[in-house]
Amino acid sequence: MGSIERDTRVDLDVIIIGAGISGINAGYRIQNELPGYQYTILEARDAIGGTWDLFRYPGIRSDSDLHTFGFPWRPWSKSNSIADGPSIRKYIRESAEINGIDKKIRFHNKLLTADWSSSTQRWTLSVDADGEETQMSSRFVIFSTGYYDYNTPLKASIPGIENFQGKTIHPQFWPEDYDYTGKKMIIIGSGATAITLLPNLVEKAAHVTILQRSPSYIMALPAVDPTGNFIRKWLPTWLAHTLVRWKFLILPFIFFKFCRAFPNAARKIIQGDAKKQLGNCNVPLDPNFKPSYNPWEQRLCVCPDGDFFKALHRGNADMVTDTIKTVTAKGIQTDSGKFIDADVIITATGLKMQLAGGSKITVDNKRIDVSTKYVWKGVMLQDVPNAAIVIGYTNASWTLGADATARLVCRLLKKMDQEKEGVATATIEPGLKMNPSPMLNLNSTYIEKAKGDLPKSGDVAPWKPRSNYLADYWVAGYGNLNAGLKFSKILKKVN
């Protein structure tokens, strides 16, 4: 990538923070819907891909289908609905290169502070550019940094972990080329990462145990969608991609609504499938697959072609649903008295949530505490002018929310240009009575722990949390852009 001629201007129309899937999508929308705009993408690391370049643990893959996780402007064309990390990384990189977005990326550029000046109607960004602090400015900033801390994992309270004499690994920082052949391994956790790790680790490890405090709902789904293959065989490519994408938009949404409306029926379906997958396996359904919460109160885990259940049938994998009494030099003692021997402990206990990549945001030199702010239409922080945060969905593909945000931002900028507005600020009307609610509608442990660090949603429009992509797609294209926004005219230039 060093031979690519890159833009080095420091005064721009839009600066996008982060070259992951959200940042690449935002770049595409800006350059295609606002072709006269000058923009750049700042990336703290040395590669495109965000999460998909950072995480390298065995078997990393998407936990949602690629037909909706992929870009709408470059549909996922392969038959597999669930893809592995390297394939997703390649797809994002190629999408950027084909559209020239890669030339707009400045690698090793980490945002330190972003300060809005009302007197100039511009953002000034302090950036660590490969070890040297520099400044650049823009009219609008899009924070496409994801929702977690890339440098620090979620700290889990594991009593006695310091006693362990084996190797401790957090999946976020999996050691490159680590050979775990013949190792006895414990995965602490029950989320998507643990469900992904097990079927891959059992291939070489002597034994792998999932140790979970509370179970998750796990469903086996086909890795390759047979309906999609039929559609692609008989219909034109563009129509086939459209139909397959809409299928994966609508059916999971209906199932999510079904789970929320009829939790007991949904529980029977999911646990019935798990029981069928387990068959005569020595891992019992109860308590290992019977969560205390209702389906979709936490994210539902998917395993392609039932690979997780197949791993449990191998004989060198099992599950323990229990709490940890203490970690010893040689393994883990549970509260029920069971001892699990281990050479390696993997702490798949979640992510530490963080917005804006941990950068400091100020407005006229006053620091913004995001935890005290509401979010307008899931896009703009209250009292923070000309800036958007990109947050995806907890119950659907991340890219859907990212694209709804990018489209709404482009429409807002067009409106501001047409009406000669220089500033748009999300503002709560005086006297508006509103009850706060979580921005993310799940009660997973890592989300619960981050409530004091994340902005809030309200119970009154336009401050309500995002509900679904279909509604947000309409809002992005046709929704009211005046309610909840305060505009200021472009300042006249003084010669």
Side-chain angles (χ1 to χ4, degrees):
M1 291 186 182
S3 61
I4 296 176
E5 185 178 342
R6 300 190 185 279
D7 192 349
T8 57
R9 282 170 286 196
V10 295
D11 297 310
L12 300 120
D13 296 301
V14 177
I15 295 179
I16 300 165
I17 314 299
I21 198 162
S22 302
I24 299 303
N25 185 75
Y28 178 88
R29 291 300 185 193
I30 292 292
Q31 70 182 30
N32 281 271
E33 297 190 31
L34 299 159
Y37 271 50
Q38 302 297 327
Y39 81 95
T40 193
I41 301 175
L42 304 183
E43 171 53 52
R45 303 176 69 251
D46 61 356
I48 292 172
T51 293
W52 301 103
D53 183 70
L54 174 69
F55 280 62
R56 300 296 181 101
Y57 61 79
I60 179 173
R61 56 170 170 76
S62 62
D63 62 349
S64 55
D65 70 275
L66 263 292
H67 304 294
T68 57
F69 188 82
F71 300 116
W73 39 270
R74 186 176 180 244
W76 180 257
S77 59
K78 296 181 180 179
S79 59
N80 56 317
S81 300
I82 305 294
D84 59 33
S87 298
I88 297 172
R89 195 160 61 245
K90 180 182 178 184
Y91 166 76
I92 298 171
R93 187 180 66 249
E94 289 178 348
S95 299
E97 291 171 353
I98 289 169
N99 291 279
I101 302 167
D102 58 324
K103 297 175 184 176
K104 298 289 187 178
I105 303 171
R106 306 184 194 194
F107 294 105
H108 297 291
N109 273 244
K110 177 177 175 59
L111 177 64
L112 303 174
T113 64
D115 180 57
W116 170 263
S117 170
S118 297
S119 62
T120 63
Q121 295 184 338
R122 292 184 71 80
W123 285 96
T124 298
L125 277 56
S126 293
V127 178
D128 180 342
D130 209 3
E132 180 181 347
E133 188 167 336
T134 61
Q135 287 191 334
M136 55 184 67
S137 75
S138 69
R139 178 185 170 201
F140 204 98
V141 176
I142 302 175
F143 293 98
S144 298
T145 53
Y147 64 96
Y148 68 90
D149 189 331
Y150 273 44
N151 300 311
T152 309
L154 180 68
K155 189 174 181 179
S157 179
I158 304 174
I161 189 69
E162 68 280 359
N163 300 325
F164 187 56
Q165 293 180 359
K167 191 172 185 65
T168 303
I169 302 174
H170 193 285
Q172 189 170 337
F173 306 105
W174 193 274
E176 190 174 358
D177 301 324
Y178 176 62
D179 185 9
Y180 50 89
T181 302
K183 303 288 187 183
K184 290 171 288 185
M185 311 180 83
I186 300 175
I187 306 170
I188 301 176
S190 59
T193 301
I195 304 309
T196 300
L197 277 167
L198 181 73
N200 289 277
L201 296 181
V202 294
E203 296 290 336
K204 295 197 295 183
H207 193 273
V208 184
T209 300
I210 283 190
L211 175 56
Q212 56 183 12
R213 181 178 57 196
S214 58
S216 295
Y217 290 102
I218 305 171
M219 286 196 74
L221 294 178
V224 175
D225 174 39
T227 308
N229 281 344
F230 177 82
I231 292 172
R232 278 186 285 268
K233 182 178 180 180
W234 296 104
L235 294 178
T237 301
W238 69 268
L239 182 57
H241 285 323
T242 301
L243 291 176
V244 170
R245 179 176 170 83
W246 275 98
K247 173 194 169 183
F248 279 94
L249 278 172
I250 293 172
L251 293 185
F253 174 69
I254 292 173
F255 184 66
F256 171 78
K257 289 293 188 182
F258 171 77
C259 289
R260 285 299 181 93
F262 307 102
N264 291 332
R267 186 183 294 110
K268 287 181 180 178
I269 291 171
I270 297 169
Q271 292 178 349
D273 177 69
K275 185 177 181 179
K276 179 182 177 182
Q277 294 285 335
L278 287 169
N280 60 358
C281 178
N282 60 2
V283 177
L285 183 74
D286 189 8
N288 299 302
F289 295 88
K290 290 196 171 183
S292 58
Y293 57 89
N294 290 328
W296 269 117
E297 285 181 357
Q298 295 186 21
R299 192 171 175 95
L300 190 146
C301 295
V302 171
C303 58
D305 291 336
D307 63 352
F308 177 80
F309 295 101
K310 290 174 182 175
L312 293 176
H313 281 274
R314 287 176 58 100
N316 66 333
D318 68 348
M319 297 180 75
V320 175
T321 301
D322 205 344
T323 50
I324 297 172
K325 182 177 182 180
T326 189
V327 179
T328 71
K330 299 294 184 182
I332 296 178
Q333 183 79 47
T334 71
D335 280 320
S336 68
K338 184 178 180 66
F339 183 78
I340 310 170
D341 195 18
D343 303 308
V344 183
I345 293 177
I346 302 166
T347 55
T349 50
L351 302 167
K352 181 183 177 185
M353 303 195 76
Q354 181 186 74
L355 288 185
S359 59
K360 176 183 175 184
I361 302 173
T362 61
V363 174
D364 294 327
N365 297 315
K366 293 181 181 179
R367 185 160 189 170
I368 297 296
D369 179 358
V370 298
S371 68
T372 66
K373 302 299 180 182
Y374 287 85
V375 183
W376 177 85
K377 294 186 185 288
V379 175
M380 295 182 74
L381 278 176
Q382 170 198 352
D383 300 330
V384 180
N386 288 22
I389 55 171
V390 179
I391 297 293
Y393 298 105
T394 54
N395 61 342
S397 295
W398 182 268
T399 322
L400 296 173
D403 194 48
T405 295
R407 291 177 62 248
L408 190 147
V409 167
C410 288
R411 183 166 158 249
L412 174 61
L413 289 170
K414 288 177 183 177
K415 169 185 168 67
M416 292 171 68
D417 289 345
Q418 291 167 0
E419 298 177 5
K420 305 292 190 244
E421 303 286 6
V423 185
T425 308
T427 307
I428 295 177
E429 294 286 337
L432 178 65
K433 293 182 179 180
M434 183 162 56
N435 296 311
S437 63
M439 183 179 67
L440 301 175
N441 61 345
L442 293 179
N443 60 9
S444 301
T445 301
Y446 69 98
I447 294 177
E448 290 291 320
K449 286 187 175 182
K451 278 185 176 178
D453 301 317
L454 297 178
K456 303 172 287 188
S457 293
D459 58 353
V460 178
W463 306 96
K464 288 183 177 181
R466 282 181 160 167
S467 55
N468 66 80
Y469 173 69
L470 299 178
D472 292 333
Y473 183 88
W474 186 90
V475 168
Y478 309 102
N480 188 338
L481 293 181
N482 291 311
L485 286 186
K486 180 181 178 181
F487 292 94
S488 301
K489 294 295 182 183
I490 297 173
L491 292 175
K492 293 182 180 179
K493 290 183 179 180
V494 179
N495 294 325

